[in-house]
Amino acid sequence: MTTLTLTNLAKRYSRSVWGVRSMSLDVKDKEFVVFLGPSGCGKTTCMRMIAGLETVTRGRIILKGQDITDLPPKDRGVSMVFQNYAIWPHMNVYDNIAFALRLKNVDRKELNQRVKKVAQMVRIEPLLKRFPGQMSGGQQQRVALARALAVEPRLFLMDEPLSNLDAKLRVSMRTELKTIHQESGATSIFVTHDQSEAMSMADRIVIMKDGEIVQTGTPEEVYFQSANTFVAGFIGTPPANFFPVEWKNGKLEHPRFQLSPPPALHQAIENHGKNRLILGVRPESIQVVREEEALFIAPVLVVEPQGSHQIVAVQVEDEVVKLIMPPACGVQPGELLPLTFDSTRLHLFDEESQLRIPGY
Amino acid sequence: MTIPRPLFQAAQKTTLALLVTTVALTILFPLFFLFTFSLMSDYETYSEWPKPLWPHSQVRYRMEKISPQTTRLLIWNHGQSQWQPFGPEHIEANEEVAKKLSRFLTNYGNTTLSPSEILSHVQKAQNSGFHEFTAQKSLSQNYQRFFRLYSGAADAVLHSLSTALLTILISVVIGGMAGYAFARYVFKGKDVLKLSVLFVRMFPPVAIAIPMVVILGRMGLYDRPAGLSLIYSVNQIAMNIWITASIFMGIPESLEEAALIFGANKRGAFFRITLPLAVPGLAACAMYSFISSWNEVINALILTQFRPTFPVVVYKSLLGANAQVHLIAAGSIAQAAPAILFTLIIRRYLLQMWGGVKV
């Protein structure tokens, strides 16, 4: 069942400045959707329009069958967690959480129960009498979450809620947020520019660029079926490597190698009918092999140990190509590595449109 | 040649210390001077030199027998450390003279002695040749006399207070609203407008005195606290706009947005979230408005006639041949005290920060 529908939603700040150009999206009930994109791509603007903090230039927002495009924020039944938490410094934690409930004239007993319940959910019960100034960033974050959960919203919005936390806390909060989402079952939209955050939390990722949706899909879809070079180059740590290639005599030709694609891909390229292509290869799809099986040989530039694996940067022509190798494999900078591709995991894009070639 | 670092640092510290001391002294010394003078009697003010740093709380008198019928009164001069004649050359022991002397001692010695007390002292001097006694000096007497002597001073305090409170009300409300607009909204010519509100402060009041009088006269507000507070507010609003704009800019907009999302309308968000957070800043505005209105003389001199404000009364007391320094000092302290008191009270709100959060 659909909870939220956006149709051709657009926001124009001035004559030539667009926040969001056109967005159409369906969010299903209890779904956790992440808006992902580089800064300035319009993801936050879109969220603020859904919340009612920005006026809408064009398009409609439908929430549970009700057109909320022009409603004031308080009548939309949405709640939001802000990037800087935005908890009120002159109220203690209890009052912060109870604010919305008091305005709705919830009776005292139920109010108390609900505050206790959400405080328990985010584990801040002992802090209810404290003021925000006396708490750490992580605790403030939890208060903001509790406040947003207390109203039992129809839609739960989160605007880069983890970006102000330190790296370790951020990772643990991810898990906790996901747990809380599963517990509360609230339909959620989460905005972030951190692709690993998006991958680890989302049911569905909406990747945005320049105010438009580039691709919508599950984390697996956007990773393995990236819609264009932008997505492939944005998702993944490190992201995909690109090689400009030419389709010639049934082979993909690069100055350094010639590659015969598997039959399905061969057919797709033939159907596409264009010669100038871009080959995208994920770092883990590049394999180190014996010299006689190698597609090409490249010198190692840098080795970045990560513990569980190593990221090795090699030079191919003028490009730096990154691949993932098991730990302690003893690769040194300057060493020549014989490399090949996992031909079942190749991505091919049209050079002109940058779009993925359909049909494989 | 380079100056050695320790020497340079020592010089820096010394200069800073000197500067701070100078500033402190220039503020504190006049206040202290006036305070000391406001507690002195006429005799101490005009006949004792050097002045004591701290005024004496008692006056020492001595009665000497001149003849069986007459006595004379001497007073201890702290400056010259000797007895000096005080008052009439000789005192006869009768009711009429005692009454006169009692009044004299009140006015010139700030001591209260009843005629019967004086007669008993005279009697003692007559018995043993001389008689010394001390009398408690009344410390509030100069203040009382100031308000009695300069008629209308008490009313003037009321006028000043109502002017100041009206000024606070008008300038903080209007200045605060404008400051909020400058902080939150984007509109054309915002910077120019914000700068131009300061222009009203550039006109010397004397230059626009006549138009002010005429306009206030037509409005029926000439010689009234309300009219005066309007004039003060014009200046003060400009200042308050700048102060409040920076305060509202310091309060993150997302706090208000959160309130909007969690069920408040725009007005509710302002009154429940922004206003409480802005209280320290608004208190500073109120303090500034109060002090500038309370101390203002020139406009008040021009725009009042029968209902002067207190600074005007103090100013007028300085004029004329009958000026008495110790009384004027009392008036000045009476003028300064409420401003100081108000500052001290409101200072608590300035320092009030919720849970250590900077706002």
Side-chain angles (χ1 to χ4, degrees):
Chain A
M1 189 200 146
T2 310
T3 295
L4 177 75
T5 308
L6 308 179
T7 43
N8 296 322
L9 195 63
K11 172 73 189 180
R12 189 183 206 171
Y13 284 112
S14 65
R15 191 167 301 216
S16 60
V17 183
W18 290 81
V20 175
R21 279 172 192 280
S22 174
M23 250 188 104
S24 297
L25 183 72
D26 281 332
V27 178
K28 289 188 220 50
D29 204 18
K30 299 193 176 180
E31 200 176 16
F32 196 108
V33 171
V34 173
F35 288 178
L36 175 67
S39 57
C41 71
K43 54 193 190 303
T44 296
T45 308
C46 181
M47 170 167 281
R48 289 171 59 86
M49 281 194 286
I50 298 170
L53 299 175
E54 298 274 3
T55 55
V56 174
T57 311
R58 176 154 40 78
R60 310 303 311 165
I61 306 167
I62 316 281
L63 183 60
K64 293 238 160 103
Q66 182 194 4
D67 188 335
I68 59 164
T69 316
D70 300 314
L71 285 183
K74 69 186 174 82
D75 299 331
R76 296 188 175 207
V78 301
S79 72
M80 186 159 169
V81 177
F82 289 81
Q83 182 173 7
N84 59 359
Y85 320 137
I87 46 179
W88 302 300
H90 60 301
M91 298 182 192
N92 66 19
V93 172
Y94 187 96
D95 292 337
N96 261 286
I97 298 173
F99 182 86
L101 303 177
R102 285 198 180 125
L103 284 179
K104 281 185 189 158
N105 292 323
V106 175
D107 70 71
R108 188 179 286 193
K109 208 171 155 197
E110 199 199 329
L111 183 141
N112 203 25
Q113 263 174 6
R114 269 161 81 171
V115 172
K116 289 273 156 62
K117 192 182 126 202
V118 290
Q120 206 167 14
M121 213 185 248
V122 300
R123 291 190 271 128
I124 48 164
E125 285 163 293
L127 307 175
L128 283 175
K129 288 277 160 282
R130 292 246 198 119
F131 280 90
Q134 304 160 330
M135 297 192 297
S136 70
Q139 287 168 333
Q140 293 189 24
Q141 173 66 66
R142 285 160 193 273
V143 175
L145 263 175
R147 182 178 67 178
L149 287 167
V151 297
E152 292 171 2
R154 295 195 286 183
L155 184 64
F156 193 44
L157 305 172
M158 288 173 270
D159 184 8
E160 308 204 22
L162 306 180
S163 63
N164 282 8
L165 300 176
D166 63 75
K168 188 166 172 253
L169 198 56
R170 199 180 307 167
V171 175
S172 68
M173 277 304 280
R174 273 186 208 168
T175 323
E176 230 169 281
L177 268 182
K178 208 164 179 181
T179 320
I180 289 169
H181 170 249
Q182 281 160 6
E183 258 178 65
S184 67
T187 312
S188 307
I189 296 179
F190 186 103
V191 161
T192 183
H193 59 259
D194 181 343
Q195 54 89 17
S196 66
E197 210 166 279
M199 295 290 281
S200 61
M201 298 176 74
D203 291 331
R204 209 143 55 97
I205 298 180
V206 176
I207 298 172
M208 295 180 67
K209 189 192 175 195
D210 299 333
E212 275 170 342
I213 296 178
V214 179
Q215 188 176 9
T216 309
T218 63
E220 288 77 19
E221 278 167 8
V222 296
Y223 191 80
F224 295 112
Q225 300 282 316
S226 306
N228 62 13
T229 51
F230 170 77
V231 176
F234 192 70
I235 302 279
T237 359
N241 301 294
F242 296 110
F243 303 91
V245 290
E246 205 170 338
W247 181 242
K248 233 185 210 172
N249 309 325
K251 282 184 175 174
L252 292 168
E253 283 194 6
H254 182 263
R256 293 291 304 279
F257 58 81
Q258 287 190 328
L259 181 68
S260 309
L265 186 54
H266 189 113
Q267 194 55 49
I269 298 168
E270 285 291 333
N271 292 345
H272 185 64
K274 281 192 181 170
N275 288 341
R276 305 196 67 83
L277 303 169
I278 291 173
L279 175 66
V281 189
R282 294 271 171 204
E284 68 274 13
S285 308
I286 304 178
Q287 296 154 343
V288 183
V289 286
R290 274 176 288 146
E291 223 161 296
E292 52 270 30
E293 295 171 6
L295 199 59
F296 61 97
I297 292 172
V300 175
L301 286 174
V302 184
V303 180
E304 301 169 10
Q306 302 282 318
S308 63
H309 59 271
Q310 286 183 341
I311 297 169
V312 177
V314 299
Q315 189 165 7
V316 180
E317 293 287 275
D318 290 336
E319 301 287 326
V320 175
V321 170
K322 291 193 170 177
L323 57 132
I324 288 176
M325 288 179 71
C329 54
V331 177
Q332 297 295 327
E335 199 175 317
L336 292 173
L337 279 184
L339 300 170
T340 189
F341 300 141
D342 177 354
S343 55
T344 59
R345 291 273 180 84
L346 298 178
H347 303 253
L348 267 175
F349 305 97
D350 187 297
E351 193 191 43
E352 205 184 323
S353 64
Q354 304 276 312
L355 291 176
R356 186 185 188 86
I357 292 175
Y360 66 94
Chain B
M1 196 197 103
T2 54
I3 306 161
R5 202 172 158 69
L7 196 68
F8 182 70
Q9 279 176 347
Q12 249 183 343
K13 274 185 189 167
T14 315
T15 320
L16 185 70
L18 278 175
L19 206 72
V20 170
T21 319
T22 316
V23 169
L25 282 181
T26 41
I27 294 166
L28 289 178
F29 186 73
L31 213 59
F32 181 72
F33 175 83
L34 286 174
F35 180 67
T36 313
F37 262 78
S38 75
L39 300 181
M40 283 182 185
S41 64
D42 187 275
Y43 180 78
E44 282 174 302
T45 312
Y46 289 106
S47 307
E48 278 190 5
W49 195 263
K51 302 289 175 215
L53 261 183
W54 194 250
H56 305 281
S57 60
Q58 287 184 329
V59 183
R60 285 174 70 194
Y61 290 118
R62 181 186 167 102
M63 292 269 196
E64 275 178 6
K65 181 181 174 184
I66 306 172
S67 71
Q69 275 77 44
T70 55
T71 323
R72 66 169 183 161
L73 180 66
L74 296 120
I75 190 169
W76 180 255
N77 188 314
H78 297 88
Q80 292 166 26
S81 295
Q82 65 183 49
W83 292 105
Q84 285 197 341
F86 190 53
E89 277 177 25
H90 41 77
I91 306 162
E92 287 98 34
N94 68 53
E95 195 72 22
E96 195 58 34
V97 171
K99 261 186 192 165
K100 262 190 181 169
L101 189 60
S102 170
R103 218 175 298 136
F104 176 80
L105 291 182
T106 310
N107 287 346
Y108 290 88
N110 284 11
T111 48
T112 317
L113 286 166
S114 64
S116 58
E117 277 178 288
I118 291 172
L119 284 178
S120 83
H121 287 306
V122 170
Q123 192 57 48
K124 281 175 190 163
Q126 283 292 339
N127 290 345
S128 54
F130 73 92
H131 168 62
E132 282 177 20
F133 61 97
T134 58
Q136 196 66 34
K137 204 168 88 185
S138 160
L139 296 178
S140 65
Q141 183 161 323
N142 287 347
Y143 294 90
Q144 292 167 13
R145 282 188 68 201
F146 181 86
F147 281 96
R148 218 179 311 130
L149 215 60
Y150 299 99
S151 54
D155 287 341
V157 170
L158 284 181
H159 295 150
S160 268
L161 265 180
S162 51
T163 309
L165 293 180
L166 268 174
T167 308
I168 291 178
L169 191 75
I170 297 172
S171 68
V172 171
V173 169
I174 296 181
M177 290 196 292
Y180 185 81
F182 276 119
R184 284 287 190 266
Y185 300 113
V186 181
F187 51 89
K188 246 182 202 166
K190 180 172 153 178
D191 292 335
V192 176
L193 201 61
K194 200 177 168 191
L195 195 67
S196 60
V197 295
L198 286 181
F199 289 169
V200 294
R201 293 180 73 87
M202 294 176 189
F203 295 108
V206 177
I208 50 171
I210 305 292
M212 280 197 300
V213 171
V214 171
I215 291 169
L216 281 187
R218 280 193 191 143
M219 291 166 77
L221 291 173
Y222 176 72
D223 199 21
R224 270 171 212 286
L228 207 50
S229 66
L230 278 182
I231 300 295
Y232 293 159
S233 296
V234 172
N235 271 329
Q236 208 47 47
I237 283 168
M239 211 60 219
N240 287 358
I241 285 174
W242 277 75
I243 300 175
T244 51
S246 66
I247 290 157
F248 286 126
M249 266 190 261
I251 299 170
E253 220 174 331
S254 59
L255 293 182
E256 266 173 65
E257 289 174 350
L260 291 181
I261 285 182
F262 291 111
N265 53 21
K266 280 226 157 187
R267 196 187 305 151
F270 178 77
F271 282 107
R272 282 161 188 275
I273 308 298
T274 316
L275 195 62
L277 288 172
V279 161
L282 295 178
C285 280
M287 185 180 82
Y288 199 73
S289 306
F290 180 89
I291 290 171
S292 69
S293 150
W294 180 264
N295 287 341
E296 213 281 339
V297 184
I298 298 174
N299 279 321
L301 207 56
I302 299 167
L303 296 173
T304 58
Q305 195 171 358
F306 302 113
R307 298 187 193 85
T309 57
F310 193 56
V312 173
V313 172
V314 175
Y315 173 74
K316 282 181 175 164
S317 73
L318 289 166
L319 307 171
N322 64 343
Q324 285 171 292
V325 173
H326 54 298
L327 295 188
I328 294 162
S332 305
I333 291 294
Q335 152 83 26
I340 295 170
L341 206 71
F342 190 78
T343 310
L344 289 180
I345 292 169
I346 218 149
R347 195 181 69 109
R348 295 215 339 252
Y349 295 97
L350 294 182
L351 298 175
Q352 187 184 343
M353 301 287 171
W354 297 272
V357 166
K358 290 177 285 295
V359 177

